[in-house]
Amino acid sequence: NKQIFVSLESRTKGAKIYYTIDDSKPDENSKEYSGLITIKKTSTIRAISFKDGYTSSKESISKYESIEKIAGVQYKYYESRWSMLPKFINLTSIKNGVVEKFTLDGTENRGTDFGLVMHGYLDVKSTELYTFFISSNDGSRLIIDQEEIINNDGAHGTIEKFGEVYLEKGKHLIELRYFQAGGGKKIKVSWQGPQFEKREISVEELK
């Protein structure tokens, strides 16, 4: 829910980049890129590069979604069959909702062949190095403040993986991507810090 800065570049030396931020198709009459682009809300950047004597580049599309800061975990629900996590941001969710924590309970999923993108703001009480864990069946990824911490992707039975990240005191955006591909289903997100043993992220820590 904060502003971010986006940079664009071309692999062709001397090429000029033109872009739009309103989801319209860019051309040489669009705004020319000259420095960092500030994103403050849900947006789509579409860009193309030109250079005299060269064929213009293919269009690049980059999507950004602002996540409201509320208590609990916001989720978007999708249905299809995958063997790996898809690019959910390019898909249309069937429904959205809020649950108390990172769990399948309350998501009203159909039981098989579905996916979720879940967001919650974790309240970190002290600046420390923390270890996070995902136990999932099937694939999952954990992203904190736009940085991937754990990759547990693929169709598989229950597997737990972990990753470490240094977090400052305050609220941090956690994103969980998950898909179910038949058989069992499970999501469990835990963490551990210097001041406490491994535990599931609680409702109180997501308020």
Side-chain angles (χ1 to χ4, degrees):
N1 68 336
K2 301 176 182 178
Q3 67 181 18
I4 59 172
F5 303 97
V6 179
S7 63
L8 305 177
E9 63 180 25
S10 172
R11 294 179 181 175
T12 302
K13 187 176 181 180
K16 293 183 178 181
I17 301 173
Y18 299 88
Y19 72 95
T20 64
I21 203 169
D22 59 0
D23 209 21
S24 61
K25 189 173 181 62
D27 56 30
E28 289 179 275
N29 296 315
S30 301
K31 186 172 183 178
E32 183 178 350
Y33 175 73
S34 60
L36 292 175
I37 302 169
T38 302
I39 301 294
K40 296 182 179 180
K41 60 182 181 179
T42 297
S43 305
T44 298
I45 296 178
R46 300 175 66 169
I48 195 166
S49 60
F50 295 87
K51 185 176 181 180
D52 290 341
Y54 288 74
T55 302
S56 61
S57 73
K58 293 181 179 179
E59 183 182 55
S60 293
I61 300 175
S62 184
K63 297 184 179 181
Y64 304 86
E65 184 176 1
S66 178
I67 306 300
E68 185 181 0
K69 188 179 285 186
I70 64 173
V73 173
Q74 305 165 64
Y75 72 87
K76 293 188 175 183
Y77 174 80
Y78 307 80
E79 290 183 350
S80 189
R81 185 166 185 82
W82 303 285
S83 58
M84 300 289 288
L85 284 163
K87 291 184 177 180
F88 284 112
I89 199 166
N90 293 329
L91 304 178
T92 300
S93 61
I94 293 175
K95 61 182 177 182
N96 304 336
V98 179
V99 290
E100 289 188 325
K101 59 182 181 177
F102 290 99
T103 177
L104 295 177
D105 297 339
T107 59
E108 299 180 3
N109 61 80
R110 66 178 180 178
T112 186
D113 298 329
F114 67 91
L116 292 166
V117 177
M118 310 181 84
H119 292 98
Y121 284 91
L122 177 65
D123 190 9
V124 175
K125 299 300 184 183
S126 62
T127 301
E128 304 280 2
L129 179 67
Y130 294 92
T131 304
F132 286 82
F133 305 82
I134 295 181
S135 179
S136 69
N137 180 349
D138 290 271
S140 60
R141 288 185 181 182
L142 189 74
I143 297 140
I144 300 178
D145 295 335
Q146 290 80 55
E147 179 182 354
E148 184 178 287
I149 306 302
I150 305 172
N151 186 335
N152 196 8
D153 201 358
H156 54 70
T158 300
I159 295 176
E160 183 177 74
K161 291 191 176 182
F162 69 92
E164 294 183 329
V165 61
Y166 186 83
L167 297 178
E168 295 184 353
K169 180 181 178 180
K171 292 200 172 184
H172 296 266
L173 178 62
I174 294 185
E175 177 178 332
L176 173 66
R177 303 174 189 173
Y178 169 79
F179 79 97
Q180 201 284 338
K185 57 179 180 178
K186 180 179 181 180
I187 295 174
K188 184 177 181 181
V189 182
S190 306
W191 69 323
Q192 178 179 318
Q195 310 301 326
F196 59 91
E197 296 298 318
K198 178 183 174 183
R199 68 185 184 218
E200 187 175 3
I201 295 177
S202 69
V203 174
E204 289 71 25
E205 292 166 331
L206 293 165
K207 290 183 177 179

